[in-house]
């Protein structure tokens, strides 16, 4: 007995997709039906990716055809998910790009004390040595350390006129343009601000500044996954994020959360990779020796587990700390192990940025409704 396509459609008219009032045929969920001998292929288009709804739709189709058309038919159900376009929310708060800045890379960490600012400073000077135009936005409102690391802690940004508007001119040293809340506070003054005030200050540093042409803007984020991070990603279309961690489990647990924040559905910032800082200790008198004080290759294994690139490791070397305290980042040194380490890491960051720009559309600033804010990050 031949199987009629019309009989199949009539049978499918008795099924509704979960959450929809119309039957499968009337709603357009049934895209095509193909019959050949005792084989039946049904193509469905659903508007939700929920696994339980897809499984229920497939089971209903197979059961109905067996009951109403042919109990011995070999039924194959192909399901395609096409979510409908979401209507524009009038309460959306959207950010905007900064003219002249090609790539904005956020440098983050799950916890404090892992050397994120040190990595940011040395990434910046290595990018500059490679010929790129670089700027740093020190977004660590409560602990701005970039001015110290570039020996400009006592400097103040000048006011310049750009297009009839007064703008802040970033402080510059070693070819890097820098803006930080540290330029506007005294060394012994604590910044005791609530989130909205801190966000407003950051917006001024971002949009009221004459950054000029930059190939890379590095944003030194504060530790954690909080209000400042959301404010930055709400204000700017971040090209990608770099997460810094040390090898031990305590830091890795928080680094995992840092990656999860950027991967959150309503944030969706590409993670360029993970950098492992303080990977091993090298004593000056025994430069060939490596002592894995905090564990071995923890961040590398985390990167593999999370399926993100591992960008490289930075040794625990006394000269890196001394150079940061002296206001001259260690990557400015030549023919040293530190310079080699940061050159490898920076090349990997550049390669991942190029790959990201070739394979993904430009990142949009995240859209947070004025009513709901952002939900907790799911692991």
């Amino acid at each position: 007995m031949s199987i009629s396509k019309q009989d199949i459609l009539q049978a499918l008219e008795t099924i509704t997709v979960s959450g929809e009032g119309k039957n499968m045929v009337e709603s357009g969920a049934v895209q095509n039906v193909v019959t050949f001998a005792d084989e039946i292929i049904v193509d469905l288009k659903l508007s939700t990716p929920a696994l339980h709804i897809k499984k229920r739709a497939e089971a209903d189709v197979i059961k109905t055809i067996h009951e109403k058309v042919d109990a011995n038919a070999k039924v194959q159900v192909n399901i395609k998910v096409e979510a409908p376009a979401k209507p524009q929310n009038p309460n959306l708060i959207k950010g905007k790009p900064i003219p002249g800045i090609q790539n904005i890379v956020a440098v983050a960490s799950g916890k404090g004390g892992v050397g994120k600012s040190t990595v940011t400073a040395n990434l910046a000077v290595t990018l500059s040595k490679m010929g790129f135009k670089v700027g740093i936005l020190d977004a660590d409102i409560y602990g701005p350390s970039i001015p110290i690391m570039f020996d400009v802690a006592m400097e103040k940004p000048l006011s310049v006129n750009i297009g009839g508007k007064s703008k802040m001119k970033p402080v510059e040293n070693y070819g890097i343009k820098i803006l930080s809340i540290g330029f506007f506070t005294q060394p012994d003054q604590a910044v005791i601000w609530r989130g909205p005030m801190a966000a407003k200050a950051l917006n001024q540093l971002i949009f009221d500044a004459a950054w000029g042409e930059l190939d890379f803007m590095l944003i030194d984020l504060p530790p954690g996954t909080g209000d400042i991070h959301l404010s930055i990603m709400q204000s700017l279309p971040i090209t990608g994020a770099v997460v810094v961690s040390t090898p031990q489990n305590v830091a890795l647990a928080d680094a995992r959360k840092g990656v999860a924040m950027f991967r959150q559905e309503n944030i969706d910032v590409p993670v360029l990779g993970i950098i492992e800082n303080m990977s091993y200790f090298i004593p000056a008198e025994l430069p060939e020796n490596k002592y894995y004080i905090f564990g071995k290759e923890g961040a590398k294994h985390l990167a593999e587990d999370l399926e993100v690139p591992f960008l490289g490791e930075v040794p625990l070397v006394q000269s890196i700390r001394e150079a940061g305290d002296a206001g001259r980042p260690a990557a400015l040194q030549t023919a040293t192990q530190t310079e080699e380490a940061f050159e490898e890491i920076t090349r990997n960051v550049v390669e991942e940025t190029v790959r990201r720009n070739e394979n993904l559309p430009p990142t949009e600033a995240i859209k947070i409704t004025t009513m709901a804010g952002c939900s907790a990050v799911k692991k």
Side-chain angles (χ1 to χ4, degrees):
M1 166 179 147
S2 62
I3 299 175
S4 164
K5 180 177 178 180
Q6 191 59 37
D7 291 341
I8 296 170
L9 291 173
Q10 286 180 358
L12 296 180
E13 285 178 347
T14 65
I15 312 172
T16 59
V17 178
S18 179
E20 297 184 8
K22 300 177 181 179
N23 67 63
M24 279 190 173
V25 178
E26 187 182 1
S27 67
V30 178
Q31 296 287 289
N32 193 27
V33 174
V34 178
T35 63
F36 181 76
D38 63 343
E39 296 183 12
I40 300 173
I41 300 174
V42 180
D43 293 333
L44 295 182
K45 182 180 74 172
L46 303 182
S47 60
T48 174
L51 184 62
H52 70 280
I53 292 180
K54 291 192 290 183
K55 286 187 173 295
R56 174 68 182 274
E58 180 181 10
D60 285 349
V61 168
I62 295 172
K63 180 182 177 183
T64 302
I65 290 176
H66 283 162
E67 288 180 351
K68 297 183 179 295
V69 181
D70 188 337
N72 299 315
K74 299 174 183 176
V75 184
Q76 177 183 331
V77 182
N78 300 323
I79 297 178
K80 178 182 179 183
V81 177
E82 281 189 12
K86 295 181 181 178
Q88 186 70 15
N89 188 327
N91 291 326
L92 287 182
I93 305 172
K94 289 187 65 176
K96 54 186 177 181
I98 305 176
I101 298 180
Q102 302 302 314
N103 299 287
I104 302 174
V105 176
V107 183
S109 65
K111 71 191 303 295
V114 297
K116 170 182 48 59
S117 296
T118 299
V119 169
T120 302
N122 284 284
L123 270 178
V125 297
T126 307
L127 283 167
S128 182
K129 285 166 66 176
M130 290 178 175
F132 294 106
K133 298 175 182 176
V134 187
I136 295 178
L137 172 64
D138 186 0
D140 195 347
I141 289 287
Y142 305 109
S145 51
I146 292 295
I148 295 173
M149 292 184 174
F150 280 85
D151 195 25
V152 290
M154 305 310 295
E155 300 289 331
K156 301 293 180 188
L158 300 175
S159 176
V160 293
N161 190 290
I162 304 291
K165 294 182 179 180
S166 180
K167 298 275 188 179
M168 283 182 285
K169 182 181 179 182
V171 173
E172 191 167 341
N173 201 12
Y174 312 127
I176 312 297
K177 295 180 179 179
I178 304 162
L179 275 181
S180 168
I181 199 68
F183 292 141
F184 305 97
T185 60
Q186 299 300 318
D188 57 351
Q189 179 185 354
V191 178
I192 309 172
W193 290 347
R194 293 189 184 274
M197 190 170 180
K200 183 178 179 181
L202 284 174
N203 269 338
Q204 288 183 308
L205 293 179
I206 294 168
F207 296 110
D208 291 347
W211 288 102
E213 298 289 328
L214 294 180
D215 297 304
F216 285 90
M217 172 189 275
L218 303 183
I219 302 181
D220 184 20
L221 290 172
T225 56
D227 194 51
I228 300 300
H229 305 75
L230 290 176
S231 297
I232 288 288
M233 292 183 288
Q234 184 180 327
S235 300
L236 291 171
I238 308 294
T239 305
V242 170
V243 175
V244 179
S245 179
T246 48
Q248 77 267 36
N249 290 336
V250 170
L252 295 172
D254 291 330
R256 184 184 292 271
K257 294 174 185 176
V259 173
M261 173 186 68
F262 292 112
R263 286 179 163 178
Q264 177 82 353
E265 184 180 356
N266 56 346
I267 293 177
D268 197 23
V269 170
V271 178
L272 301 178
I274 296 176
I275 296 172
E276 183 177 271
N277 192 25
M278 308 182 208
S279 295
Y280 46 83
F281 171 62
I282 303 177
E285 64 276 10
L286 296 170
E288 301 302 319
N289 288 23
K290 293 181 180 180
Y291 299 92
Y292 295 91
I293 298 174
F294 300 117
K296 189 174 182 181
E297 297 184 340
K300 183 177 183 179
H301 294 150
L302 177 64
E304 293 170 354
D305 183 36
L306 298 177
E307 296 182 345
V308 299
F310 179 64
L311 300 172
E313 52 189 25
V314 181
L316 180 59
V317 181
Q318 184 174 335
S319 62
I320 296 179
R321 191 275 304 165
E322 291 173 341
D325 287 348
R328 183 176 172 81
L332 289 169
Q333 301 165 6
T334 57
T336 64
Q337 211 166 15
T338 300
E339 182 194 36
E340 291 176 7
F342 279 110
E343 281 183 350
E344 179 186 355
I345 290 170
T346 306
R347 278 196 301 269
N348 290 335
V349 170
V350 173
E351 287 175 7
E352 291 302 326
T353 303
V354 170
R355 186 177 292 113
R356 174 257 175 276
N357 290 339
E358 287 177 347
N359 298 325
L360 295 174
T363 307
E364 292 186 3
I366 65 171
K367 307 173 183 67
I368 303 175
T369 66
T370 54
M371 302 295 291
C374 185
S375 62
V377 173
K378 297 178 182 178
K379 291 185 183 179

